[in-house]
Amino acid sequence: MPAPASPPPEPAPAAAAAPAASPARVSAWRPSVPGVVEVFHARFTEYAYPMHVHDAWTLLIVDSGAVRYDLDRHEHGTPDDTVTLLPPHVPHNGEPATAEGFRKRVLYLDSSRLGDDLIGAAVDRPDLRDPLLRRRVGQVHAALVRPGDELEAESRLTLVGERLREHLRSLEPAASRRVDPVLARRLRELLDERVADGVTLAEAGAELSAHPAHLVRAFSTAYGIPPHQYLMSRRVGRARGLLLQGWPPSAVAAAVGFYDQAHLTRHFRRLVGVTPGRYRATGAAGG
């Protein structure tokens, strides 16, 4: 998989209120995830955005404080349990709703994620109280700051887009997931073929003639884990074999498809309980 641009460190959590205003803290980058124009993390105490527009959809969550903004001549707010979706081409502004300011995380998404046909609904309902959606958006951001986890970010973002469309089309969440074991098996076979190289959901969807959201749903229903977790577990499985053959962790990471040794270590420790180095040492000792 192509090496993504490494994201800058996230802004530090908001500190307790102090007599002097804290300086603004901002980080922004464009990840290697289809449909994501920009990731933007910021902490503001006094800055107020003037009226402006974006060419992309603005998907916003607030981690501390609150934002007050106007959209289509109506006032709105974004407490930390809300997901805000601002449509492209519609003017809006923004400012802190409290003296402590706010800390936010934003995804700017192009029309491949959300179509222009949903703009009207988003103007009417920009603020969504949905704990599951809020958690999923946070999971996308968590994956985006970890180099090498682009498939996880893409997978989670696909589910976020699906749930946003449900809200905007005033549909109730599906009572049951569609079972498609044949498609799930075909995706598993594709992942098995490309353990080291990896595959994006868009590529898998084109090859298997299925929408990415349906791919994730079908696979997760059939196997109990999403595609990105399956792929990582396969890579860790291959890594174990190479480590027991005496390969150094840095070479193993490159051979089985991890972004770098740190990426291997994070997933290896989560799935095996020890670092690759310690695991290799136990094999060398005959343990």
Side-chain angles (χ1 to χ4, degrees), residues 9-284:
E10 291 197 69
S22 300
R25 281 172 278 181
V26 169
S27 59
W29 68 98
R30 184 167 191 168
S32 299
V33 175
V36 181
V37 176
E38 181 185 329
V39 184
F40 183 75
H41 294 180
R43 167 104 164 42
F44 291 119
T45 54
E46 295 183 331
Y47 179 69
Y49 289 96
M51 295 299 291
H52 63 288
V53 300
H54 295 286
D55 292 333
W57 290 86
T58 302
L59 183 61
L60 163 71
I61 56 175
V62 174
D63 294 312
S64 63
V67 181
R68 191 210 68 79
Y69 69 95
D70 297 300
L71 178 73
D72 194 37
R73 299 180 296 280
H74 291 88
E75 183 174 321
H76 300 273
T78 60
D80 60 10
D81 61 347
T82 300
V83 174
T84 295
L85 181 66
L86 305 178
H89 318 305
V90 180
H92 60 276
N93 57 9
E95 63 182 7
T98 66
E100 290 76 21
F102 61 86
R103 185 162 56 94
K104 69 176 182 177
R105 290 178 287 173
V106 184
L107 296 174
Y108 294 102
L109 308 174
D110 67 23
S111 59
S112 69
R113 292 291 176 178
L114 294 169
D116 289 350
D117 60 308
L118 300 174
I119 288 178
V123 170
D124 294 336
R125 300 170 57 191
D127 299 316
L128 306 171
R129 293 287 183 92
D130 181 339
L132 176 59
L133 177 61
R134 175 65 172 76
R135 183 167 67 252
R136 285 180 174 174
V137 174
Q139 290 170 336
V140 174
H141 280 281
L144 285 169
V145 299
R146 300 191 301 258
D149 283 355
E150 287 73 34
L151 179 61
E152 177 179 348
E154 184 183 1
S155 178
R156 293 192 184 281
L157 182 57
T158 297
L159 298 182
V160 166
E162 183 180 57
R163 195 160 182 90
L164 286 170
R165 286 187 290 273
E166 288 179 354
H167 276 288
L168 296 178
R169 292 171 178 161
S170 299
L171 297 176
E172 293 295 326
S176 61
R177 296 178 178 178
R178 180 180 169 190
V179 178
D180 194 337
V182 174
L183 181 62
R185 176 181 54 78
R186 293 177 64 202
L187 177 55
R188 187 197 67 200
E189 292 171 350
L190 181 61
L191 293 172
D192 289 342
E193 292 172 2
R194 305 186 188 178
V195 170
D197 294 335
V199 61
T200 69
L201 287 178
E203 291 168 345
E207 186 157 338
L208 301 178
S209 301
H211 190 279
H214 184 42
L215 282 177
V216 175
R217 291 289 189 198
F219 193 95
S220 300
T221 300
Y223 299 112
I225 59 173
H228 69 270
Q229 288 187 8
Y230 177 83
L231 181 62
M232 288 303 171
S233 67
R234 287 299 317 277
R235 287 176 173 171
V236 167
R238 287 192 178 183
R240 294 174 74 155
L242 294 177
L243 289 166
L244 292 179
Q245 293 177 34
W247 285 42
S250 59
V252 170
V256 303
F258 285 99
Y259 177 77
D260 57 16
Q261 186 174 336
H263 189 211
L264 164 66
T265 298
R266 181 168 67 251
H267 287 281
F268 196 96
R269 183 159 45 195
R270 180 174 61 84
L271 291 177
V272 183
V274 296
T275 66
R278 287 188 61 190
Y279 184 85
R280 178 173 178 261
T282 61

